[in-house]
Amino acid sequence: MSVFCAGGVGNKEYLMQRAAEFYQKKSATGQLQAKVSPAELITYISSAYTGIQTCAIVYHCYNKNPIAQMYDVRGQHRVLAKTVNYLLGAEE
């Protein structure tokens, strides 16, 4: 069984599927100099994405944390994408 078993259709699953496809394609051609294993990458994406979701919900629902005013979900997703690219060895 592959570590890339994202069977759902949500945003996190979509991200994990695309990262897995990219990882496998580029690894097969030798174009990828990944800094982590496939399993580490997938668990990192899952943890980071869940953390972004949780913080967004808590900050925007309760709005009692000073960070809530500056928390930008889209910005956090851009940072996640850049981090995943870095871990894959696909820096811009």
Side-chain angles (χ1 to χ4, degrees):
M1 176 186 273
S2 172
V3 295
F4 304 117
C5 297
V9 294
N11 291 333
K12 179 171 69 171
E13 291 81 10
Y14 177 82
L15 173 63
M16 292 170 69
Q17 287 173 340
R18 297 293 79 83
E21 290 169 6
F22 178 83
Y23 199 115
Q24 290 170 332
K25 179 181 175 184
K26 296 297 182 178
S27 291
T29 61
Q31 296 175 308
L32 188 64
Q33 302 299 319
K35 295 165 177 53
V36 296
S37 72
E40 289 171 323
L41 177 66
I42 294 306
T43 56
Y44 172 76
I45 291 171
S46 179
S47 298
Y49 192 92
T50 300
I52 292 168
Q53 281 183 310
T54 301
C55 288
I57 292 166
V58 170
Y59 290 167
H60 287 100
C61 288
Y62 298 105
N63 207 12
K64 294 182 181 186
N65 187 321
I67 295 175
Q69 301 303 319
M70 58 187 228
Y71 196 80
D72 172 25
V73 176
R74 286 187 179 162
Q76 292 300 305
H77 284 118
R78 280 191 298 275
V79 171
L80 175 59
K82 287 182 179 186
T83 303
V84 169
N85 283 339
Y86 171 78
L87 293 173
L88 288 171
E91 301 94 331
E92 296 176 20

